[in-house]
Amino acid sequence: MFEARLVQGNLLKKVVDAVKDLVTDANFDCSSSGFTLQAMDNSHVSLVSLSLRSDGFEHFRCDRNMSMGMSLGNLAKILKCAGNDDIVTMKAADDGDTVTFMFESPKEDRVSDFELKLMDIDSEHLGIPDTDYAATVTLPAAEYQRICRDLSSIGDTVVISATKDGVKFSSSGDVGTANITVRQNTTADKKEEQVSIDLKEPVALTFALRYLNSFAKATPLASHVSLSMARDLPVMVDYQISDMGHLRFYLAPKIEDEDGGDMEGQDEA
Amino acid sequence: MFEARLVQGNLLKKVVDAVKDLVTDANFDCSSSGFTLQAMDNSHVSLVSLSLRSDGFEHFRCDRNMSMGMSLGNLAKILKCAGNDDIVTMKAADDGDTVTFMFESPKEDRVSDFELKLMDIDSEHLGIPDTDYAATVTLPAAEYQRICRDLSSIGDTVVISATKDGVKFSSSGDVGTANITVRQNTTADKKEEQVSIDLKEPVALTFALRYLNSFAKATPLASHVSLSMARDLPVMVDYQISDMGHLRFYLAPKIEDEDGGDMEGQDEA
DNA sequence: TATACCACGC
DNA sequence: GCGTGGTATA
């Protein structure tokens, strides 16, 4: 059987809220090492990868590897019924076709249980190659979300350029053009506001803002987000879930220009 | 003539907001003992009963019994024009066809008056028989509202089962099944969180969540709500209005099962 | 199903 | 006054 008890139940709610607009149905894979999900989005453009390690749960038992297919919309409805401070326990029998979510209020005066029907979903387990990224920029998740949202009102795509000094987000469209530059500041300030850049070589890639905005639904999960990029390879947008794992998104860049080195020209594209 | 002065004017606003989605037009009945309203909802399924005793008003005068038919939508619009701390005075002449609402700001620096046209409404004064309920459960109004709202995303109906230990709310639908159990705790805690159960015999009844959710609009009127149930009889959902009276709703149970004694089997229904 | 507006709580 | 959550509409 599978049984996992998560004290910080709202974390699960945040994860599902972040993914459900991208992926309608997905397999959750359980093993003794933890709880993972990997899926292409509905339009098969981007890839979502969730990993929650078993040691992040208060209690975790998985006798046998199992893959549980769920409707993320229905799962979200159920998780919405949990109180914000509730403890969530998931249970599934090895041979069952349902999974049960139990919510306990902190004061133990209310207990709810919800049973969700499992679905058969073709799992296309795409391996994600270990990539040697040219640049990884880390910035406050809320600030990044704001940037993506703001640029959406200017254009459909954004050019993200990382240099040793900072990261520049550029868009253009009918309205005009926009450039938002965030400087590296590992120094003083509050930890919350730190921006760091790990750069092997400068890189500039173009992405569809529509997907970046969907990914940014994960903002409540983490204080910071990191963007890892390499020329002509998908960006990895990484939200670390403290003490438990991560929620990552992958999106291939638009290839508009054979010369990826100097992206200044793309502002007009 | 009729004249009634209510220091806590926003109470009237809350009452009308709670009822206006259920009943479009209704007669307010005034007598020397107070101010009441009784009406079937628009679809003639549930019944609303409001009672505000004359002693709850700062001043109350009613020379002659009268029935004032009002559009609750229009009444709500007028009451929305009152400040939250305003003192409200209602006035009507015995032979008039209007009622006047006067709002006085606490500092007496602003006075408004609004005149509402009265309507002729067929009053079908249904007597409500005194019922010997098998069970009455009392729980925090906000918690009850949350339960009804949450279960609405699972199914259309709820089975409410009262036992000596607690009350269980169960729903099922396409998404799956849900059970929310609230335990009795008359003991410690804050008064706000008390749940009490007055039980003669266990009872379990099925209701349409749509109506329970409409009734729950009365939540701002009271800290607690009580549900009084007896087999095959309408539930009484009671919001006490402190020192003045009550707003009550009645809804007949769905009869899905001739055997009302053991409702466990209804979980599958 | 996703977006926009409105109301309530912090 | 700002932010979040819920409701209603397209």
Side-chain angles (χ1 to χ4, degrees), chain B residues 42-106:
Chain B
N42 293 331
S43 50
H44 277 248
V45 170
S46 64
L47 190 134
V48 182
S49 174
L50 166 72
S51 169
L52 298 174
R53 292 188 307 274
S54 56
D55 58 47
F57 292 83
E58 194 199 9
H59 167 74
F60 193 94
R61 170 180 165 184
C62 183
D63 301 339
R64 200 163 73 87
N65 288 5
M66 54 195 298
S67 197
M68 300 187 293
M70 307 186 203
S71 149
L72 296 188
N74 290 344
L75 176 54
K77 283 182 187 171
I78 285 178
L79 292 172
K80 192 176 294 181
C81 301
N84 225 348
D85 304 320
D86 282 5
I87 297 163
V88 173
T89 304
M90 296 180 278
K91 286 183 198 171
D94 282 345
D95 54 355
D97 60 353
T98 63
V99 56
T100 300
F101 293 85
M102 185 174 72
F103 307 142
E104 298 167 85
S105 65

Side-chain angles (χ1 to χ4, degrees), chain A residues 74-75 77-82 98-103 110-117, chain B residues 146-161 167-182 205 209 263-264 266-269:
Chain A
N74 289 345
L75 176 56
K77 281 183 185 173
I78 285 177
L79 292 173
K80 191 176 294 182
C81 300
T98 62
V99 56
T100 299
F101 293 86
M102 185 172 74
F103 306 143
R110 181 173 44 80
V111 177
S112 328
D113 57 90
F114 292 78
E115 208 173 86
L116 176 66
K117 288 191 189 69
Chain B
R146 172 78 195 266
I147 290 169
C148 289
R149 192 202 308 137
D150 283 350
L151 291 182
S152 299
S153 65
I154 307 296
D156 297 329
T157 62
V158 60
V159 180
I160 307 181
S161 330
V167 53
K168 184 171 77 170
F169 301 86
S170 306
S171 280
S172 70
D174 299 339
V175 174
T177 67
N179 296 286
I180 299 175
T181 301
V182 180
L205 300 172
L209 278 164
M263 300 304 267
E264 294 303 310
Q266 284 212 354
D267 284 353
E268 276 78 52

Side-chain angles (χ1 to χ4, degrees), chain B residues 235-253:
Chain B
V235 61
M236 175 176 80
V237 182
D238 181 314
Y239 293 86
Q240 287 291 323
I241 301 170
S242 49
D243 301 326
M244 287 208 70
H246 57 248
L247 178 55
R248 291 176 180 160
F249 304 90
Y250 297 83
L251 177 66

Side-chain angles (χ1 to χ4, degrees), chain A:
Chain A
M1 75 170 303
F2 166 66
E3 185 170 322
R5 183 177 163 90
L6 185 61
V7 174
Q8 202 183 349
N10 64 17
L11 195 148
L12 206 57
K13 196 194 301 192
K14 290 177 188 168
V15 165
V16 175
D17 282 343
V19 175
K20 71 171 204 287
D21 290 340
L22 226 37
V23 183
T24 306
D25 308 303
N27 283 315
F28 286 84
D29 297 314
C30 314
S31 74
S32 56
S33 63
F35 192 69
T36 64
L37 175 155
Q38 208 169 102
M40 299 291 288
D41 76 277
N42 293 331
S43 49
H44 277 247
V45 170
S46 64
L47 188 135
V48 182
S49 174
L50 166 71
S51 169
L52 298 174
R53 291 187 309 273
S54 55
D55 59 50
F57 292 83
E58 192 198 11
H59 168 73
F60 193 94
R61 169 180 166 185
C62 183
D63 301 338
R64 201 163 71 86
N65 288 5
M66 54 195 296
S67 196
M68 301 188 293
M70 306 187 202
S71 151
L72 296 188
N74 289 345
L75 176 56
K77 281 183 185 173
I78 285 177
L79 292 173
K80 191 176 294 182
C81 300
N84 225 347
D85 303 322
D86 282 4
I87 297 164
V88 173
T89 305
M90 295 180 276
K91 284 183 200 170
D94 282 343
D95 54 355
D97 60 353
T98 62
V99 56
T100 299
F101 293 86
M102 185 172 74
F103 306 143
E104 297 167 86
S105 65
K107 278 172 255 146
E108 304 191 353
D109 53 357
R110 181 173 44 80
V111 177
S112 328
D113 57 90
F114 292 78
E115 208 173 86
L116 176 66
K117 288 191 189 69
L118 295 179
M119 327 169 56
D120 258 326
I121 299 171
D122 290 343
S123 64
E124 15 168 10
H125 234 278
L126 304 180
I128 299 167
D130 255 350
T131 305
D132 212 15
Y133 290 107
T136 294
V137 309
T138 302
L139 67 168
E143 184 174 1
Y144 168 73
Q145 181 177 42
R146 175 73 196 268
I147 290 170
C148 290
R149 193 198 310 136
D150 285 350
L151 291 183
S152 298
S153 61
I154 306 297
D156 297 329
T157 61
V158 59
V159 180
I160 307 181
S161 330
T163 63
K164 66 182 190 331
D165 297 325
V167 52
K168 184 172 73 170
F169 300 86
S170 307
S171 279
S172 70
D174 299 340
V175 176
T177 68
N179 294 286
I180 301 175
T181 301
V182 179
R183 286 223 183 74
Q184 181 166 200
N185 68 347
T186 347
T187 59
D189 291 283
K190 300 157 194 164
K191 271 185 191 169
E192 293 298 312
E193 299 168 0
Q194 285 189 0
V195 176
S196 67
I197 299 178
D198 177 8
L199 192 94
K200 291 211 180 78
E201 56 178 317
V203 59
L205 300 171
T206 303
F207 299 101
L209 278 163
R210 174 184 161 193
Y211 290 97
L212 299 187
N213 275 308
S214 279
F215 303 165
K217 299 256 167 72
T219 301
L221 282 167
S223 66
H224 287 71
V225 60
S226 71
L227 313 173
S228 297
M229 299 184 288
R231 183 167 167 186
D232 294 341
L233 288 180
V235 62
M236 174 176 80
V237 181
D238 181 315
Y239 293 86
Q240 287 291 321
I241 301 170
S242 48
D243 301 324
M244 288 208 70
H246 57 249
L247 178 56
R248 291 176 180 159
F249 304 91
Y250 297 84
L251 176 66
K254 301 219 167 200
I255 311 290
E256 299 179 47
D257 190 332
E258 287 309 328
D259 175 1
D262 174 9
M263 301 302 268
E264 294 302 309
Q266 284 212 354
D267 283 352
E268 275 77 52

